[in-house]
Amino acid sequence: NSSSATPTTDPSSNHGMIEVPSDVDWFSFSAFGGVAYRFETLLGTLSAARLNLIGVDGQTVLASSGGPGAAARIDWTAPADGQYYVNVRA
């Protein structure tokens, strides 16, 4: 969950591993209002990925992408400075 998210910086490439179907990898980052960000998954052994952008409260889904047979990508402009989160699941 957001309280145990792996901190990351911009720009970065972060590797994770979805170990079981219920696994969710969380990342946290500091965003700056008005700045555009891109988040995307690259498929390795997974056939699909779901990517969720989570708000500063650690719960509200701001954007979501992905589906069967596809990688996921979110293009987003931060509305305000703050600590935001991204989670990735199979």
Side-chain angles (χ1 to χ4, degrees), residues 11-89:
S12 68
S13 177
N14 299 281
H15 299 277
M17 181 179 293
I18 306 300
E19 297 164 339
V20 295
S22 61
D23 188 20
V24 179
D25 287 356
W26 282 78
F27 301 92
S28 64
F29 66 99
S30 294
F32 300 97
V35 174
Y37 296 87
R38 173 173 284 170
F39 310 93
E40 57 190 335
T41 61
L42 300 175
L43 300 179
T45 58
L46 290 177
S47 61
R50 167 70 56 190
L51 180 65
N52 295 302
L53 174 63
I54 311 295
V56 295
D57 65 358
Q59 297 178 350
T60 304
V61 177
L62 303 176
S64 188
S65 175
R73 185 173 98 185
I74 297 172
D75 290 309
W76 172 76
T77 300
D81 293 0
Q83 185 82 13
Y84 293 85
Y85 305 89
V86 172
N87 70 35
V88 183
R89 65 185 70 218

